[in-house]
Amino acid sequence: MNKHSMIFIGLDTHKEFHEVAYCEEQRGATAVHYGRIPSSKISLKKLIRQFESKYSGATLHVVYEAGPCGYWIYRLITSLGHCCYVVAPSLIPKKPGERVKTDRRDSLKLVRLLKSEDLTPIYVPEPEDEAVRDLSRARETAMKDLKEAKYQLKALLLRNNIRYEGTANWSQKHLRWLTELILPHPAQHIVLQEQLQTINERTRRLERLGNELTHHVHQWRYYPVVKAIQAMRGVRLLVAVGVVAELGDLQRFDHPRKLMAYLGLVPSEHSSGGKRHLGAITKCGNGRARRLLIEGAHSYRYPANVSTTLQMRQEGLPKDIVDIAWKAQLRLCKRYQRMSKKGKHYNLIITAIAREMAAYIWAIAKEVVLTPVNPKLRLSRVPA
């Protein structure tokens, strides 16, 4: 039997099955279609054992596209001692004239690209980090659902020309006023009562998720980073948790410009010859982290100042981190005023501020020393 040091395996993953192709490492070897296997832990383990038996001593390099199935395949294969890569579908090279797409072709294409080193793997979070990210996203979804319910209720009142004369919507006084309303038709009154009940239920759901998120974040290994970046203006707990949960280990970026590009906050460019054209931001990468930074960037339209709330967030932090946060505030507030005087559009200014905020967050994260993850204590989330 021929000795091999590496075998490349491509998986086109689906909910019910995986399409498998493989290729040997020697020059000139062609990709071979293996077949289809069920999408289960047992079937995947069996596949790995078959390749280990056929190519004794070889290291398997498995690749598949990121999708709704998550990272359990990556964690299973790496736990078996082999290499696994997850690639973003948008970063897979594609020929302009390629019009036929099948599962078999996709698996063969992944193998060829992996062997030729034309694929860029994405960052795979630890199971604990993914769990906190799921909780953070669940809270954001609950907040969106609550806003949607409030919009529906206000639309009902607007159609019936009912106006609230108070100043603070959704205060206790406003809610009491809503409960005392009687609409002209009994059917509409039922709709009003149901919508009020929905708002109350979603409000309690949002409070529960917020309390759970606060509890779990304090036990999270990235909590020192979350606490440190709150030294910056415009970065409170929910923004800090959301950014860190979405980006993961910020120290994997060796330069802040790479973090900016990952967030899609850098301008697009189309240059040729002596012409250079810069367009809108690329909006690549993680859209939720980008949106959170843009929300925080609005606070820099005011003059630099350390408020009482910001002072409380900075208490107990190292002086180096506080100095970075103050340096960021001085620079970003001045830049906002300077760009505003030049007549720049407000959205363009906020985007530029958010881009530099990412750089200062990266600098603060570099100052925080984290405890490495012990693989033996890693939380297992691989389904049986």
Side-chain angles (χ1 to χ4, degrees):
M1 180 180 294
N2 296 330
K3 296 293 182 181
H4 302 274
S5 61
M6 289 187 296
I7 299 296
F8 303 100
I9 302 175
L11 299 178
D12 188 54
T13 58
H14 296 277
K15 178 182 178 181
E16 301 294 339
F17 63 87
H18 301 323
E19 203 75 32
V20 184
Y22 69 95
C23 183
E24 299 176 355
E25 64 167 332
Q26 65 262 29
R27 183 181 180 86
T30 58
V32 180
H33 179 244
Y34 177 87
R36 180 175 293 184
I37 64 172
S39 176
S40 65
K41 180 181 177 181
I42 296 176
S43 300
L44 196 56
K45 279 187 173 182
K46 182 180 178 181
L47 175 72
I48 297 301
R49 286 197 302 266
Q50 289 176 349
F51 277 101
E52 289 175 342
S53 176
K54 184 177 180 180
Y55 301 99
S56 179
T59 302
L60 306 182
H61 292 256
V62 185
V63 62
Y64 70 97
E65 295 182 17
C69 296
Y71 303 115
W72 71 268
I73 299 176
Y74 170 89
R75 292 171 183 141
L76 174 61
I77 294 174
T78 52
S79 66
L80 297 175
H82 298 285
C83 300
C84 187
Y85 311 94
V86 186
V87 295
S90 59
L91 298 180
I92 297 177
K94 182 180 179 181
K95 297 178 181 178
E98 198 173 310
R99 292 292 184 269
V100 180
K101 182 185 182 302
T102 64
D103 297 338
R104 175 172 177 167
R105 288 192 177 207
D106 288 345
S107 61
L108 291 170
K109 181 180 180 180
L110 285 172
V111 168
R112 297 190 192 101
L113 292 175
L114 178 63
K115 184 179 179 182
S116 60
E117 300 182 358
D118 289 330
L119 294 177
T120 303
I122 65 173
Y123 169 77
V124 178
E126 292 291 331
E128 307 79 49
D129 306 340
E130 188 180 9
V132 176
R133 186 183 67 181
D134 290 341
L135 185 56
S136 177
R137 290 179 177 180
R139 187 205 168 274
E140 183 177 359
T141 302
M143 181 178 64
K144 291 180 179 178
D145 292 342
L146 176 60
K147 286 184 178 180
E148 182 182 358
K150 291 179 177 179
Y151 291 153
Q152 291 176 355
L153 177 57
K154 293 178 74 173
L156 175 66
L157 300 181
L158 182 61
R159 291 196 300 269
N160 290 273
N161 194 28
I162 299 176
R163 303 175 185 274
Y164 177 59
E165 301 299 334
T167 55
N169 284 332
W170 311 115
S171 61
Q172 293 297 326
K173 182 179 179 181
H174 182 219
L175 292 175
R176 285 194 296 270
W177 176 79
L178 288 172
T179 57
E180 296 170 357
L181 283 178
I182 299 178
L183 295 184
H185 197 279
Q188 289 180 320
H189 191 68
I190 293 296
V191 175
L192 173 64
Q193 295 300 319
E194 287 292 337
Q195 290 182 344
L196 285 173
Q197 183 68 20
T198 301
I199 290 175
N200 292 330
E201 291 175 355
R202 294 183 179 182
T203 301
R204 291 193 295 268
R205 173 191 170 200
L206 180 63
E207 292 176 355
R208 289 195 304 268
L209 288 172
N211 293 334
E212 290 296 326
L213 181 62
T214 303
H215 170 71
H216 287 282
V217 163
H218 283 79
Q219 302 175 358
W220 190 25
R221 68 188 184 101
Y222 279 124
Y223 178 68
V225 180
V226 172
K227 185 177 180 180
I229 65 176
Q230 289 184 71
M232 291 188 59
R233 184 175 181 174
V235 183
R236 295 177 180 249
L237 178 63
L238 294 177
V239 174
V241 172
V243 170
V244 176
E246 295 295 333
L247 299 181
D249 186 11
L250 294 176
Q251 297 186 6
R252 73 181 192 272
F253 300 99
D254 55 8
H255 198 278
R257 289 195 183 94
K258 294 185 178 180
L259 176 58
M260 298 174 187
Y262 179 81
L263 291 168
L265 288 170
V266 297
S268 58
E269 181 175 355
H270 184 78
S271 301
S272 179
K275 296 182 179 179
R276 184 168 184 254
H277 174 71
L278 297 178
I281 59 173
T282 61
K283 293 186 179 180
C284 299
N286 195 294
R288 181 168 180 256
R290 180 174 62 251
R291 181 184 56 78
L292 290 172
L293 289 176
I294 289 178
E295 286 181 1
H298 289 274
S299 63
Y300 289 93
R301 65 184 185 271
Y302 304 109
N305 178 41
V306 178
S307 63
T308 305
T309 306
L310 182 59
Q311 175 67 32
M312 293 174 61
R313 298 205 305 264
Q314 293 179 352
E315 291 178 357
L317 294 176
K319 184 177 182 300
D320 294 339
I321 293 177
V322 177
D323 290 344
I324 294 174
W326 178 242
K327 180 181 177 182
Q329 187 173 170
L330 289 175
R331 173 178 170 81
L332 297 182
C333 290
K334 288 180 180 178
R335 188 174 188 197
Y336 179 91
Q337 298 298 329
R338 186 168 61 251
M339 295 181 70
S340 181
K341 290 179 181 179
K342 289 182 179 180
K344 300 291 184 180
H345 193 276
Y346 180 76
N347 292 344
L348 188 148
I349 300 174
I350 293 299
T351 304
I353 298 298
R355 180 167 57 246
E356 291 206 21
M357 280 181 66
Y360 284 106
I361 288 175
W362 175 87
I364 290 176
K366 295 284 284 186
E367 299 291 329
V368 181
V369 180
L370 296 175
T371 305
V373 178
N374 187 353
K376 295 182 180 180
L377 301 178
R378 182 176 288 148
L379 174 66
S380 176
R381 299 186 65 198
V382 180

